[in-house]
Amino acid sequence: HADAGTRDPLWSRGLGDVYKRQSLDSPASGAETITVNPVVSSIFDLAGNIAVINQSNNTATLNDKLGPSITGIVITNDNSSVNVTLAETAYPGTANSGALTADDWVLSIPDTNSTAKLGSATPTSIAKSGNTYTLGLNIVGTPDGAEVLKVSPAANSIYDALGNISLTSQSNNTANLKDKAKPIISNLELANNNGTIAVTFSESVFSNNNGSGDLDSLDFVLSMSGSGASLSQANPTTISKNGNIYTLGIGLNLSLIHI
C-alpha cells in the first residue's frame, strides 16, 4: 500500500503499482528535494521479501514553479522611496526579456487614523540594482510611524526566467513608514493651588535626538501674561515624570492689584 498517496491507474499500466503524492500546499521553488521511503514492514515482493526503509535512487528535486518572491523591503529614512528585493531575476512577461516598470507594482497603506496616506498606488519612479528595485513613494501628510506600507506585484506582471508568475499575495512585503511627526503637547492640567502644571505629550520624548536622555527643568520654558502674579523664573522649579506626563513646578511672585 502507499500511505498518504493515491494509486495512478494510468501510469501503473505495465509498470506494476505506481503511486503519486497529493498536491503541494504552495508552489515549489526548485530548491526542495523530496525523498520516498517505504514504511516499516509495509512493502513486500512476491516472495515475501520486505523492502528496506533506507533506499537509494529515492530522491528527486522539485521543479521550480514559484515566481519571483519578495524577500524584504526597506523604506528610506525620508519616506521618499522603498527598496524591494526579489529572490531571483524578474521580467515583465516574456522570459529573459525586458525590464520591470512602475506599473508592475502596487502600493497600499491600510486605512488608519494617521494623516499620512499614499498619493498614488503606483510608484512614482523605479530604479534597479541587481534584484533590488527602488520604488518612489508619494506620501501625503506627515507619517507618525504607525502606517504600514505594503508592496505587492501587480497581477500578471512579474515573471521569472521559466515563466513562473509572481503571486500578488506575498510575505516579507510590509514595513512601517518612518516617524516624521513632531511630539506635541496634547494636554495641560494646572494644580488647584497653581503650584504645578502637568504637561502631557503625544508620545515618548527624550533630551537627545537618538531616543535617549531624560528631560529636566531646563528643557521647558514658562511664560505668563496678564497682571497680578508673575513668574519668579522662566524654567520650572521642579520636574517629575509619569509615562508621557511631566509635572512642572511653577515659581510665582504674588502681588496685590490696586484699583
Side-chain angles (χ1 to χ4, degrees), residues 19-40:
Y19 290 86
K20 62 181 180 181
R21 299 294 294 180
Q22 301 296 333
S23 60
L24 300 175
D25 290 335
S26 59
S29 68
E32 305 89 349
T33 298
I34 188 168
T35 300
V36 181
N37 282 311
V39 174
V40 176

Side-chain angles (χ1 to χ4, degrees), residues 14 21 38 80 209 213 226 235 240 247:
R21 299 294 294 180
S80 64
N209 63 4
N235 303 112
S240 62
T247 301

